[in-house]
Amino acid sequence: MNFKRSVFKFTNFSVLAGSLFFMGCGEKDKTTDTQKTRVIKVSHVFQTSEPTHIYISEAADKINEKLKGEIEFQVYPNGELPSYKDAIELVLRGSDFISVVDPSYIGDYVPDFTALVGPMLYNSYDEYTAVTSSDFVKDLEKQAEAKGIKVLSLDYMFGFRHIVTGKEIVEVEDLKGMKLRVPSSKLWIDTFNALGANPVAMPWSETVSALQQKVIDGTETTYSFMSNSKLYELRKNVSLSGHFLGTGGVYISTKVWDSFTDEQREVIQEEISAAAIRNNKKIVELDESFKSDIVKNGMKFNEVNKVAFQEKTKKVFDEFPGFTPNVYEKLQNEILKVRNK
C-alpha cells in the first residue's frame, strides 16, 4: 500500500514537473516571439485631431507595414508619455523612444537650434524649410548627433503665431505694458520683454479664463487655437506679427538609430520626411479654414510694422545664453538666399 502511494506521488510529481517545463518553454517561446518586434514609443503633446498627430501616425503605420515583425512604432499623443525636456532626456539615455517637440528643446544641448526658431525670422513656411535644408542646419544636426540626438526632421509645422488683443497693435510702442499670456519659455518671455510688453507665463488651459477675468490683456497663438478655443468671443483683434513659427522636430537616440539596419533606417527616414511634407500642405489649407472661421465670428486682422519688431527682437539673439556669435546674421543670410531666388 505504501509502495503504491509512493508510485502515485512520484507519477503526479512527474506530470506536474513536465507540465511546468512545457509551460515554461511556452512562455519562453512567447517572449522570444515578442522580442522579434522592437517597439519604439513616439511621444508628443498634440491632440489626436491635429495634423502633427495625424501625419506622425500615418508615418508610423507605413513604417510598421514595411518593417512588420522587425520594428513597431507606437504613437502616444496628448503628453501621455514624458514630453518636452523629459522626453529629450529619454532620447539621450538611449531609450527606444522618439520625441516630437519644438527644436528649442534640443537647444539645451546645441543652443543654435533655439535660434533657428527665434523671433521675427520667417515670412513663409517655405523660408523655414529652405533653412532647415541648409548646410548651416546640417552642421547643427551633426552637433546634435555628437551629443546623442539623431534629428529625423525639423519640419512638422503647425502655424505662425500672432497677437490677439482688444485693440490693433501696429507699432512696437502699442505693446508697452500690455499683459500678454506666453508659454513658460525663456525665448518667449525674452521676446515680449524686448517688445516692451509684460509677458505672463501660464499654461494654455488657464488662458481662456484669464482673458475672461481680464487678468491678461491678450495672448499670442496660432489661427487654429483662435478658432478652436473661440477666442473671438473674448478679443476681436489679430495683429499679424508672425513673431514665431510653430514647428516640431522628430528626435531619436543615436545609439538606437545606429542599432537599426541600413534598410530600417532608410524606411524610417523616408516615411518621417514624407509625412512632414503632407503635414505642411495640410497646415496651409487649415490656415485658410481657421482664418475664415474667426473672421466670420467677428475677428479683424491688421498688419504690424515688422521691420520695427525685428529691430527690437534682434537683441534676443545677441543676449540669449549659448548662441553662436552672429547667429542672427547667419540665419538671415540663409533666408535671403530664398527671398532672392
Side-chain angles (χ1 to χ4, degrees):
M1 187 74 176
N2 289 340
F3 173 75
K4 285 182 181 177
R5 281 184 188 152
S6 298
V7 170
F8 179 74
K9 283 181 182 177
F10 177 77
T11 304
N12 276 355
F13 175 79
S14 300
V15 170
L16 178 60
S19 298
L20 289 171
F21 174 78
F22 284 112
M23 283 172 66
C25 286
E27 288 300 316
K28 187 175 180 183
D29 288 344
K30 234 187 219 179
T31 304
T32 304
D33 287 343
T34 303
Q35 287 174 345
K36 285 178 185 174
T37 302
R38 186 174 183 181
V39 173
I40 307 294
K41 295 183 177 180
V42 183
S43 171
H44 67 73
V45 297
F46 299 94
Q47 297 176 11
T48 54
S49 60
E50 292 184 81
T52 301
H53 171 74
I54 292 167
Y55 291 103
I56 283 287
S57 297
E58 274 190 11
D61 290 343
K62 289 176 182 292
I63 289 164
N64 294 346
E65 183 182 341
K66 291 181 179 180
L67 300 179
K68 191 172 183 180
E70 301 172 31
I71 293 173
E72 180 183 339
F73 276 34
Q74 296 178 354
V75 180
Y76 293 82
N78 296 314
E80 292 172 8
L81 292 184
S83 51
Y84 301 124
K85 289 187 178 184
D86 293 338
I88 297 300
E89 284 178 11
L90 282 175
V91 169
L92 286 164
R93 286 180 206 157
S95 304
D96 284 351
F97 186 88
I98 285 176
S99 172
V100 182
V101 72
D102 186 291
S104 65
Y105 286 93
I106 58 171
D108 289 345
Y109 307 94
V110 181
D112 285 351
F113 274 109
T114 303
L116 177 66
V117 290
M120 302 304 301
L121 286 174
Y122 309 104
N123 291 334
S124 70
Y125 298 143
D126 288 343
E127 286 181 1
Y128 174 78
T129 54
V131 172
T132 60
S133 301
S134 69
D135 291 340
F136 170 72
V137 172
K138 295 306 172 191
D139 181 63
L140 296 185
E141 291 177 357
K142 287 177 185 174
Q143 292 178 46
E145 285 184 32
K147 302 282 187 179
I149 301 168
K150 169 67 180 175
V151 178
L152 296 176
S153 176
L154 294 165
D155 294 348
Y156 280 79
M157 289 179 280
F158 49 92
F160 280 100
R161 303 178 77 91
H162 305 288
I163 299 169
V164 179
T165 58
K167 66 172 189 177
E168 286 190 0
I169 304 297
V170 177
E171 301 295 339
V172 173
E173 290 73 22
D174 297 331
L175 281 170
K176 188 175 180 179
M178 288 195 75
K179 290 183 285 185
L180 296 179
R181 178 269 173 189
V182 298
S184 184
S185 158
K186 178 174 171 55
L187 184 64
W188 260 259
I189 293 167
D190 286 0
T191 294
F192 279 92
N193 276 330
L195 290 169
N198 180 9
V200 180
M202 68 171 63
W204 181 258
S205 58
E206 298 174 13
T207 302
V208 170
S209 61
L211 286 167
Q212 288 170 334
Q213 295 165 23
K214 299 185 179 179
V215 173
I216 54 176
D217 300 311
T219 186
E220 56 77 58
T221 190
T222 61
Y223 293 133
S224 62
F225 275 92
M226 293 177 210
S227 175
N228 292 333
S229 299
K230 298 184 178 180
L231 292 189
Y232 46 73
E233 295 179 351
L234 302 168
R235 299 292 185 277
K236 292 296 185 184
N237 206 81
V238 181
S239 299
L240 299 172
S241 53
H243 50 274
F244 286 119
L245 172 58
T247 183
V250 183
Y251 320 104
I252 191 170
S253 162
T254 52
K255 289 179 183 176
V256 175
W257 185 250
D258 292 343
S259 71
F260 296 152
T261 66
D262 289 345
E263 181 189 359
Q264 290 167 344
R265 285 195 291 266
E266 185 179 347
V267 167
I268 293 167
Q269 185 63 74
E270 181 181 296
E271 295 303 337
I272 292 291
S273 298
I277 293 169
R278 295 194 298 274
N279 175 88
N280 298 341
K281 285 182 179 176
K282 187 65 176 177
I283 285 295
V284 172
E285 294 174 18
L286 288 174
D287 274 353
E288 294 307 311
S289 174
F290 289 131
K291 283 166 69 177
S292 175
D293 178 60
I294 61 181
V295 167
K296 181 181 72 178
N297 283 283
M299 273 188 156
K300 295 179 180 178
F301 298 148
N302 72 270
E303 299 292 335
V304 306
N305 183 346
K306 284 200 171 185
V307 172
F309 273 59
Q310 285 170 341
E311 284 300 314
K312 283 291 185 180
T313 56
K314 183 181 178 297
K315 72 176 186 178
V316 174
F317 295 88
D318 297 331
E319 298 173 359
F320 206 88
F323 281 5
T324 300
N326 301 318
V327 68
Y328 180 78
E329 287 73 17
K330 291 176 184 176
L331 285 164
Q332 286 296 335
N333 286 339
E334 295 298 337
I335 294 167
L336 285 173
K337 289 177 188 176
V338 185
R339 291 178 183 168
N340 292 334
K341 278 186 178 178

